[in-house]
Structure formats: C-alpha cells, structure tokens
Amino acid sequence: MRLRLTACVVIITLSIALLVSAAWSLEGSRSQAALKVTANASAREQQIAQAAEALRPQLILQRRDFHMHPELSNREERTSRIVAERLRALGLEDVKTGVGRYGVTALLKGAKTGPVVAVRADMDALPIQETIDVPYKSQTPGVKHACGHDVHTTVELGVAEILSKMRGEINGTIKFIFQPAEEGAPPGEEGGAALMIKEGALENPRPQAIFGLHVLPVIEVGQIAFNSGPAMASADRFVITVRGKKVHGAYPHDGVDAVVVAAECVTALQTIRSRRIDTTEPLVISVGSIQGGNRYNIIADEVKLEGTVRTLNEDVRKRAQALMRETLSGITSAYGASYEMQYEEGAAVTYNDPRLVEETLPVMRRMVGENNLVTRKPQMGAEDFSYYQKVIPGFFYFLGVGNRAKGITAQIHTPEFDVDEESLVIGVKTMANVLLDYLDRHKAGTGATPKR
Ligand SMILES: [Zn+2]
Ligand SMILES: [Zn+2]
C-alpha cells in the first residue's frame, strides 16, 4: 500500500515535471519565434530607413519638380505621366492610366502570398499665386501646390521605389493609387476619389484596407498626428432661393420682400446649430454668399443664399439637412414667401477605422517615437479620402511639415505655404513600414478589419 503510494507520488511528480518542461519549451519556442519576427521586422525597418535616407536627394528633386509644375484638378496630365512612367520603370504590375481622368493605379506583388492593401496620394494643385521666393517656385502663373499634394505624390513614389526592391519582404500585394482632383473637379466635371472608385480603382483586386496621409504645417517635421474615428468633416454645399414679390420700394405691403425673409433665414439657420442639434456634436452651417435684388427702390423678389454644412457624424448630417428644410419652410411661409433648396452632398466624414488605427499605432511609434505621435482634434475641413473609407476601412494620418525655427509656418491653401523637405524621408519610411506591417498582421487571412 505504502509502496504503491510512493510509486504513485513518483509518477505524478514525474508527469508534472514533464508537463512543466514541455510547457516551458513550448513557451520558449514561441518567444523565440516572436523574437525572430521582431528581429526580422526591426532589420527590415532599418533597411527601409537606410533606403529612405539614401533616396533623400531624389525625393527632394522630385517634389521640387512637381512643385514647379503644378496642375489644377482634372488637368494633371504631366504629373500623372511622370507617375506612370516611374511605376513602369520600377517594374510594378498592371499600371493603369486614365482611371478617373488622370488617375493611375498599379500593383506591387510580393514574393509571398497575402492580402491586398492600398495606399493613395492625390496629385492636384490650387488656383493660388505663389508668393514665396524659393528656388523651386511655381513656374505656372496663378497655380501652386498649396495643399502639399506634391509631397503626397513624391512620398508614394518613394514608397514604390523602396518596396519594389524588397518583394521578398512583402506578404501580399500593395495597390498604389494616384488620384486627381482631390480639391474638387471644375464645374460640370466629375472627378476625384468618387470617380476613381466608379471606374474600378478599388476592384481587381479589391484592397482590404487603405492608407493615406496629408501634410500638416501646424505640427513640426518629425511628428505625425492622427485621429481614431472621425478625423475630418463631411462637406456639403447648398443653394437656397427665397422667392417673394417685386413691388415699388415705397409700398412693401403690396409685395413680399425676399431680402427681409432671407435675412430671417440666415439668422434662423444658425439656431439649428445652437438650439436643435446635440451641443456635443460638431456642426457648421455657413452662409458664404447672398445675392438678390436689382435696385435701391425696388423690393427684391428673389435672393440666393449659398453655403456649406460640415459635420463629423453622418446622422447629424442628415438631421441638419432636414432641419434646414423645416426652418426655411416655416420662415418663408410666415412671410408669404417661398423657397427652394438645392443640397449637394460632397465628401463624407473622413472616418478612421478605430481597430485599424489601434493596430497601426505601434509601427508608427517606432518610426517617429512615442512623443512625436500626437492626437489632435478632428478638423472641420474635408478630404475626399472619405470615399474610399465608405468602401473599405481606411486610416488617413497627418505628416508634420512645419518648422518654426526655419519660419515654415504658413497654413495650407495660402500663397506662402511651404514644407520642410525633411518630411519626405519620414513620410516614405513611415508609409512603407505601415503597409508591410499591415500585410504581416493579416497574412493568414484572419483578423481582417471588417467593413465599417
Ligand atoms: Zn486642399
Ligand atoms: Zn489636400
């Protein structure tokens, strides 16, 4: 009995020891594998950092060339030609031009199988006369890369350049999208992200996520800013026509004064923001233009109000539009006038998928350092990157290009806007790693970020 008990104890002890040692060795091999992955990733990150540094002179030259030859929305003939030629020279597959007018798409297929991820840069400039005296000053009178799209295009080409020589490191496929007309197509024309999507930019193959960046002069070069969730606003345009009845200015009671009614409408529209919508939800309703009447002593029979509505929430966007109609209807009928409103929905809310943001932050931290990765309040400006995010999850972040010490502080869309070109190398190495890191995480086909 006693002997048996001893034997039992020995057997149990031995079994536990075996189990523990098996668990240890399993744990050991797991942590070794993890270490190997980390070591591979960090070796690759070093390789990319070195390649981006080596590319610095070429990146600066390329950005300056784009800057000196800016092209307006839907007129990016030269820029898109240079982009397509470069992508072909780098050996990218399936280089397509003319996607949404001057849009270009191309594939970079990795040596290993995996998912498809996309990166997008916009290429158009603005009708602004450059006033700064720099060696790379715009050669086109009245047109300037005042929104930094020259930087975006250069960074994406830099990413293609570096990664095209690292196919062995790519677990899947990278789809490069170079987009025209982000600033809005000329009147009567289609363009931008919406048109590229309509013409198949997100098909054959469909990427399962998309990344993009925008220059930001209010943060210093070396920093990256981001938002999880809403990052930029929806942007809609409205044209309201208030109709009254024209009479002699001396006898207003015989007519309906569209000027007085329009004035009431302008004021009442602001109460939607202050009294009708949840105060914690950002909303802007701005009337930017009023036109009406034709003589000082004639009561006007028609006034046009033109403006914009901005929100960070699609529900608020719909509600604001309905409340505008309700308000306009009530006010105009109270005065015996009538109204008509044309409401055009523009870019949607630029919404960064929180899960995609969360999983991307570690690699961004490694690129710029913990303290240089900053969050910022969502902006009420808009960005047509939001159209891609309506189809697939996306992450749109901000690349610091300001440098107070060098006096580089001007805002985008100004005649003085400039960037610190040091941002090019940072932009390239960050985006290249963000893309590879995404493909690494999703190579098994599991854990794909679901559609919002
Ligand atoms: Zn812009
Ligand atoms: Zn822009």
Side-chain angles (χ1 to χ4, degrees):
M1 184 76 187
R2 201 171 169 179
L3 262 176
R4 269 197 201 153
L5 189 69
T6 314
C8 266
V9 168
V10 168
I11 287 164
I12 289 166
T13 312
L14 271 173
S15 309
I16 290 170
L18 272 171
L19 275 172
V20 168
S21 87
W24 269 108
S25 75
L26 187 66
E27 189 54 40
S29 67
R30 265 201 209 127
S31 61
Q32 265 175 7
L35 272 175
K36 201 175 159 206
V37 169
T38 316
N40 285 348
S42 83
R44 189 177 73 194
E45 283 167 11
Q46 272 176 19
Q47 190 186 345
I48 290 174
Q50 281 163 9
E53 284 294 338
L55 214 56
R56 180 191 306 267
Q58 190 182 318
L59 293 171
I60 291 174
L61 273 179
Q62 183 64 79
R63 181 256 163 173
R64 292 184 174 194
D65 177 70
F66 287 143
H67 195 86
M68 288 165 79
H69 302 100
E71 294 171 303
L72 291 173
S73 306
N74 271 356
R75 304 289 181 271
E76 306 88 341
E77 188 272 329
R78 178 183 184 273
T79 311
S80 102
R81 180 163 38 82
I82 291 170
V83 164
E85 277 167 10
R86 191 79 208 116
L87 297 175
R88 285 198 184 101
L90 292 172
L92 267 65
E93 291 88 354
D94 202 16
V95 179
K96 285 186 191 142
T97 57
V99 185
R101 294 203 176 226
Y102 288 111
V104 181
T105 62
L107 299 177
L108 176 58
K109 292 181 180 166
K112 303 173 210 163
T113 54
V116 182
V117 67
V119 54
R120 170 275 209 170
D122 41 12
M123 303 185 287
D124 53 330
L126 286 159
I128 292 178
Q129 177 67 41
E130 184 145 67
T131 54
I132 46 170
D133 194 17
V134 285
Y136 45 89
K137 191 170 178 168
S138 167
Q139 305 290 297
T140 311
V143 185
K144 169 184 163 101
H145 267 295
C147 203
H149 299 185
D150 50 345
V151 171
H152 307 166
T153 305
T154 303
V155 165
E156 194 168 314
L157 280 179
V159 170
E161 174 105 33
I162 290 176
L163 296 186
S164 66
K165 297 175 179 76
M166 294 177 66
R167 286 177 191 259
E169 301 280 344
I170 304 174
N171 292 303
T173 299
I174 299 170
K175 182 175 242 182
F176 289 84
I177 298 176
F178 290 88
Q179 182 207 302
E182 192 285 324
E183 301 287 358
E189 292 182 23
E190 282 184 86
L195 186 61
M196 281 198 83
I197 295 167
K198 194 168 147 188
E199 296 191 3
L202 290 183
E203 305 302 329
N204 303 317
R206 166 173 289 212
Q208 65 177 41
I210 185 163
F211 292 89
L213 60 77
H214 204 290
V215 299
L216 189 65
V218 297
I219 58 167
E220 291 279 294
V221 65
Q223 292 188 307
I224 283 180
F226 74 96
N227 303 92
S228 184
M232 298 184 81
S234 59
D236 303 336
R237 172 176 175 262
F238 62 81
V239 183
I240 298 162
T241 309
V242 175
R243 294 215 168 82
K245 186 169 176 261
K246 189 175 278 196
V247 285
H248 192 295
Y251 312 102
H253 55 283
D254 286 335
V256 177
D257 190 345
V259 167
V260 170
V261 181
E264 288 277 354
C265 290
V266 172
T267 313
L269 288 175
Q270 293 311 314
T271 65
I272 296 174
R273 161 62 288 170
S274 66
R275 289 296 175 268
R276 309 292 302 275
I277 294 279
D278 183 340
T279 51
T280 61
E281 290 285 354
L283 166 68
V284 173
I285 301 178
S286 294
V287 175
S289 146
I290 303 184
Q291 282 167 26
N294 61 333
R295 200 168 194 276
Y296 81 98
N297 62 353
I298 301 175
I299 296 295
D301 64 345
E302 189 178 288
V303 174
K304 274 194 194 308
L305 311 172
E306 203 177 340
T308 185
V309 175
R310 311 281 173 129
T311 75
L312 293 178
N313 176 327
E314 292 293 335
D315 293 335
V316 173
R317 187 186 195 184
K318 283 190 196 81
R319 176 113 177 96
Q321 195 190 144
L323 286 173
M324 284 176 76
R325 292 190 189 280
E326 194 180 299
T327 305
L328 294 167
S329 163
I331 289 183
T332 50
S333 71
Y335 288 88
S338 64
Y339 86 98
E340 209 175 89
M341 179 167 77
Q342 261 176 275
Y343 192 98
E344 295 161 17
E345 292 199 346
V349 177
T350 302
Y351 183 89
N352 290 332
D353 187 279
R355 188 170 153 187
L356 184 61
V357 171
E358 201 53 44
E359 62 174 57
T360 308
L361 291 182
V363 66
M364 295 176 103
R365 257 181 223 120
R366 292 200 296 277
M367 289 304 110
V368 292
E370 178 89 44
N371 296 336
N372 287 323
L373 187 62
V374 296
T375 51
R376 63 192 289 263
K377 282 194 285 188
Q379 301 296 301
M380 298 313 278
E383 166 58 58
D384 85 350
F385 187 80
S386 55
Y387 286 103
Y388 303 105
Q389 293 171 313
K390 281 174 103 172
V391 184
I392 49 174
F395 184 9
F396 191 70
Y397 58 86
F398 299 95
L399 179 68
V401 294
N403 190 326
R404 275 183 216 100
K406 290 187 193 168
I408 303 174
T409 55
Q411 290 292 331
I412 55 169
H413 289 221
T414 65
E416 304 84 21
F417 174 71
D418 199 6
V419 303
D420 186 328
E421 288 171 325
E422 281 301 303
S423 59
L424 295 166
V425 170
I426 299 160
V428 168
K429 74 176 185 187
T430 302
M431 188 59 92
N433 280 300
V434 161
L435 296 169
L436 293 191
D437 200 63
Y438 179 88
L439 293 174
D440 287 354
R441 284 194 309 274
H442 296 270
K443 63 184 170 189
T446 53
T449 314
K451 187 181 178 296
R452 176 167 59 98

